[in-house]
């Protein structure tokens, strides 16, 4: 004969389709969301499949099978978090949907308890309630942390793409390119530029690069350090450099020597191009 935990577990699993149907019916108040009815049949089928994972999770908590429970928590958190980030679903909508799941599952536990009230004590019901809330609390806690990590990675990745595409090397004629450095240069963006520009020049066949810094904003110390690193790498690749738009004091070290030997500094890009014979005829 099955114990009460095992009996409730089987009851929940046997009624999983009905539990999901009732959960779906509670989603009618969502608008412009993946949970809304007009999100489409494909999304609704996906939500049903994911809700089955919620049922599995809670049922394993009721069963008190820790190995199965921990595995279900991990699976739920990873799959649902990735799915919600992919669909750009607000986190409060996810938490509301999880809460609705808990409500429906508990209603089925109440039905089971009523059907077997002669053998189920109030203490047992309280114990099941604790297990239910433990499962939902744990999955919400782990979900929100993982969701934040995924969003943070996504934002950083997008920023890196923006930083790279906003710092292009523009070929103006065979072997000659212009690199206009524009906007605020954070330490991270400076690192990306230092790593990316030399390879970009090599890929585009640039032999002489005019670096214009007149549209950039950053501290003198950071500018000097990153400029030195980038130009040194460029010169190691055999690429000549000229720098424009830099204040005179930024082109000099504290002892008055040039920070980069044999690199010419110009007041403006127009002056740099003109001095090198690159003017409109």
């Amino acid at each position: 004969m099955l114990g009460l935990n095992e009996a409730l577990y089987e009851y929940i699993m046997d009624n999983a389709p009905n539990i999901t149907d009732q959960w779906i019916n509670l989603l009618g108040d969502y608008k412009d969301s993946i949970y809304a009815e007009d999100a489409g049949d494909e999304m609704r089928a996906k939500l049903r499949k994911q809700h089955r994972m919620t049922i599995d999770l809670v049922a394993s908590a009721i069963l008190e099978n820790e190995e199965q429970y921990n595995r279900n928590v991990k699976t739920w958190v990873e799959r649902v978090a990735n799915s919600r980030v992919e669909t750009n679903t607000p986190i409060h909508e996810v938490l509301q949907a999880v809460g609705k799941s808990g409500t429906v599952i508990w209603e089925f536990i109440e039905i089971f308890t009523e059907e077997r009230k002669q053998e189920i004590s109030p203490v047992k019901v309280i114990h099941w309630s604790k297990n239910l809330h433990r499962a939902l609390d744990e999955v919400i806690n782990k979900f929100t942390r993982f969701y934040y990590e995924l969003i943070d990675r996504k934002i950083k990745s997008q920023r890196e793409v923006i930083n790279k595409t906003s710092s292009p090397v523009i070929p103006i004629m065979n072997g000659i390119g212009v690199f206009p450095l524009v906007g605020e240069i954070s330490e991270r963006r400076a690192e990306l530029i230092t790593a990316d520009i030399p390879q970009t020049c090599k890929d585009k066949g640039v032999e002489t690069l005019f670096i214009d810094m007149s549209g950039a904003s950053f501290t003198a110390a950071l500018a000097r350090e990153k400029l030195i690193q980038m130009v040194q790498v460029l010169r190691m690749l055999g690429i000549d450099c000229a720098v424009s738009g830099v204040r005179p004091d930024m082109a000099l070290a504290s002892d008055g020597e040039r920070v980069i030997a044999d690199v010419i500094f110009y007041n403006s890009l127009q002056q740099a191009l003109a001095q090198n014979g690159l003017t409109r005829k």
Side-chain angles (χ1 to χ4, degrees):
M1 182 177 179
L2 294 177
L4 289 176
N5 286 354
E6 290 79 6
L8 178 56
Y9 172 84
E10 289 199 357
Y11 178 82
I12 292 173
M13 300 307 291
D14 288 343
N15 282 278
N18 297 328
I19 293 172
T20 296
D21 286 342
Q22 291 198 24
W23 176 72
I24 289 291
N25 290 336
L26 291 179
L27 303 180
D29 55 345
Y30 284 92
K31 306 297 180 183
D32 300 319
S33 166
I34 63 168
Y35 297 108
E37 188 174 356
D38 58 5
D41 293 339
E42 183 178 349
M43 180 55 68
R44 187 51 56 99
K46 187 174 184 179
L47 289 177
R48 284 182 174 275
K49 185 176 181 180
Q50 292 176 346
H51 191 257
R52 177 53 187 262
M53 292 192 301
T54 307
I55 296 171
D56 291 345
L57 167 70
V58 173
S60 62
I62 296 293
L63 187 60
E64 298 184 342
N65 183 324
E66 287 302 307
E67 182 179 352
Q68 181 180 341
Y69 169 74
N70 290 330
R71 184 169 60 249
N72 287 339
V73 170
K74 185 175 185 296
T75 299
W76 193 99
V77 168
E78 291 179 354
R79 292 185 184 177
V80 175
N82 276 288
S83 177
R84 298 304 178 267
V85 169
E86 182 181 340
T87 54
N88 200 32
T89 304
I91 196 168
H92 71 272
E93 291 188 2
V94 182
L95 301 186
Q96 288 173 354
V98 171
K100 292 177 186 293
S101 294
T103 298
V104 174
I105 294 172
W106 183 250
E107 288 176 356
F108 276 79
I109 294 176
E110 288 180 334
I111 294 171
F112 175 83
T113 301
E114 181 63 25
E115 290 176 353
R116 306 182 65 164
K117 59 184 178 182
Q118 298 301 324
E119 56 184 308
I120 299 174
S121 68
V123 173
K124 193 65 176 178
V125 176
I126 293 172
H127 186 69
W128 285 337
S129 175
K130 287 181 178 179
N131 281 346
L132 169 69
H133 288 94
R134 168 209 172 191
L136 296 181
D137 288 347
E138 182 170 2
V139 81
I140 286 173
N141 181 272
K142 291 185 176 180
F143 166 82
T144 52
R145 283 187 291 176
F146 190 51
Y147 183 92
Y148 174 81
E149 290 174 8
L150 292 176
I151 290 292
D152 189 50
R153 289 180 209 166
K154 184 176 181 180
I155 292 173
K156 287 179 179 177
S157 177
Q158 291 172 339
R159 282 176 179 168
E160 292 195 2
V161 171
I162 292 171
N163 285 334
K164 288 185 178 181
T165 56
S166 64
S167 302
V169 172
I170 305 169
I172 56 175
M173 59 188 302
N174 289 341
I176 299 177
V178 173
F179 171 39
L181 195 53
V182 180
E184 184 175 352
I185 311 301
S186 64
E187 185 172 358
R188 177 57 180 160
R189 186 181 176 197
E191 291 172 354
L192 288 170
I193 290 170
T194 301
D196 184 62
I197 295 303
Q199 185 61 48
T200 299
C201 290
K202 187 176 179 181
D203 293 343
K204 293 185 176 183
V206 173
E207 298 174 357
T208 300
L209 181 66
F210 292 91
I211 305 170
D212 182 51
M213 304 175 71
S214 57
S217 171
F218 38 15
T219 65
L222 179 60
R224 183 182 295 116
E225 179 184 348
K226 296 305 175 182
L227 179 61
I228 292 171
Q229 292 177 6
M230 184 173 67
V231 173
Q232 286 176 337
V233 172
L234 288 168
R235 295 187 65 188
M236 287 174 63
L237 294 174
I239 299 171
D240 294 326
C241 299
V243 180
S244 61
V246 179
R247 299 192 310 271
D249 62 300
M250 291 178 65
L252 302 175
S254 57
D255 58 3
E257 297 293 326
R258 281 187 177 275
V259 294
I260 312 170
D262 301 326
V263 172
I264 302 175
F265 290 81
Y266 297 93
N267 292 329
S268 66
L269 179 60
Q270 292 85 349
Q271 181 190 40
L273 296 175
Q275 288 292 324
N276 287 271
L278 301 173
T279 56
R280 180 181 296 177
K281 295 182 180 180

